[in-house]
């Protein structure tokens, strides 16, 4: 397994995709061909994690639209350097950071004797917009596959924040300004009503993001506690309550988004 094109061809393909207002069909075909190679590596990584190491995992391949958006967001990147074109995710049943670290070490050991050593990024220490997890990049057939390892609380938080991004715009995940007026065009509201809603959302969205950041910090503080504390009755209740809050937030936001879309 490897790239179907030379590294220079991949770089030039990414440059064209970034520059074009509407990507050329031929370039999109080449991108899909490139993604097929990553899909094969991802499937093999998933097989190792599930069948050899015994972890329950899910996988996903970035779609063309997301890749083009990422290339445009980071003008200094190129297609061959994007490490998460193929990704595998593992969600732990617990919120034990020591266990999370142990899982990461086991995965890195398994993929140590390949073309390139695994790389580890600790988003618990350096979160992005409140997002926390352990990220590994392992190599299968010379191609990188990102492995995300999340605790159950990190997963619940990520689901909520992803919904905010899906609804209000992916810019929310990177702390960028949102195009709320553009988002509301699809609702076919009268101009005055749309302008009023934009003003309301300009106040609401920062509050939602601020709340998410506070919950992320709360989860971080809880997960830093020793495992013996986690297992006490009071801390088990705290964890259960936090998960319940996140689940209710997800349900509430789904209801809100559905009502606004009508």
């Amino acid at each position: 397994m490897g790239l179907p094109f030379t590294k220079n061809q991949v770089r030039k393909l990414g440059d064209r995709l970034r520059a074009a207002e509407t990507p050329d069909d031929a370039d999109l075909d080449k991108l899909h061909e490139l993604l097929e190679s990553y899909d094969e590596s991802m499937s093999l990584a998933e097989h190792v994690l599930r069948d050899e190491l015994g972890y329950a995992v899910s996988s996903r391949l970035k779609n063309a639209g997301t890749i083009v958006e990422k290339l445009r967001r980071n003008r200094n990147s190129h297609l061959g350097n994007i490490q998460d074109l193929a990704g595998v995710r593992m969600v732990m049943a617990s919120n034990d950071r020591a266990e999370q670290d142990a899982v990461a070490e086991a995965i890195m050991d398994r993929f140590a004797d390949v073309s390139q050593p695994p790389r580890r990024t600790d988003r618990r220490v350096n979160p992005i917009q409140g997002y926390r997890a352990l990220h590994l990049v392992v190599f299968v057939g010379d191609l990188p596959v990102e492995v995300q390892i999340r605790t159950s609380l990190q997963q619940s938080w990520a689901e909520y924040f992803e919904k905010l991004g899906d609804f209000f715009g992916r810019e929310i995940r990177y702390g960028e300004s949102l195009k709320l007026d553009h988002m509301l065009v699809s609702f076919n509201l009268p101009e005055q009503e749309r302008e009023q809603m934009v003003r309301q959302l300009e106040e609401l969205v920062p509050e939602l993001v601020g709340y998410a950041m506070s919950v992320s910090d709360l989860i971080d503080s809880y997960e830093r506690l020793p495992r013996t504390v986690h297992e006490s009755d009071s801390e088990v209740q705290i964890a259960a309550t936090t998960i319940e809050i996140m689940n209710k937030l997800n349900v509430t936001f789904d209801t809100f988004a559905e009502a606004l879309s009508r």
Side-chain angles (χ1 to χ4, degrees), residues 60-62 70 81-87 144-146 148:
R60 66 100 186 96
L61 202 63
K62 274 196 183 304
K70 189 162 189 173
N81 280 348
I82 297 179
Q83 299 292 297
D84 62 345
L85 292 179
V145 177
E146 183 183 74
Q148 299 176 352

Side-chain angles (χ1 to χ4, degrees), residues 9 12 26 32-33 38 54 90 113 133 142-143 148 192-193 196 198 202 232 253:
Q9 288 173 324
K12 289 182 178 179
H32 289 136
E33 184 179 349
Y38 278 88
M90 174 191 171
D113 298 327
D142 294 329
L143 294 181
Q148 299 176 352
Q192 185 174 358
E193 188 175 339
Q196 181 181 0
V198 167
E202 285 175 343
S232 68
F253 186 77

Side-chain angles (χ1 to χ4, degrees), residues 133-241:
L134 266 180
H135 284 198
L136 309 178
V137 174
V138 302
F139 290 85
V140 182
D142 294 329
L143 294 181
V145 177
E146 183 183 74
V147 181
Q148 299 176 352
I149 308 169
R150 298 177 181 174
T151 65
S152 62
L153 285 174
Q154 290 166 0
Q155 173 67 10
S156 294
W157 186 93
E159 288 176 348
Y160 172 65
F161 206 72
E162 284 168 8
K163 285 181 180 179
L164 290 182
D166 290 342
F167 192 78
F168 293 114
R170 294 179 61 86
E171 294 86 358
I172 204 171
R173 304 178 187 183
Y174 308 99
E176 299 173 357
S177 299
L178 299 176
K179 303 176 180 65
L180 296 173
D181 186 64
H182 178 73
M183 180 199 80
L184 291 174
V185 168
S186 61
F187 294 113
N188 296 318
L189 298 171
E191 183 176 353
Q192 185 174 358
E193 188 175 339
R194 187 171 71 246
E195 290 176 353
Q196 181 181 0
M197 185 168 287
V198 167
R199 288 194 295 271
Q200 292 173 338
L201 290 177
E202 285 175 343
E203 296 180 2
L204 172 64
V205 174
E207 290 182 6
L208 292 173
V209 172
Y211 181 77
M213 298 301 108
S214 297
V215 173
S216 175
D217 290 340
L218 176 63
I219 291 171
D220 181 58
S221 297
Y222 169 74
E223 290 184 341
R224 288 178 181 274
L225 295 173
R227 182 170 184 170
T228 53
V229 178
H230 284 192
E231 292 173 346
S232 68
D233 290 342
S234 60
E235 295 301 332
V236 168
Q237 184 59 45
I238 290 173
T241 301

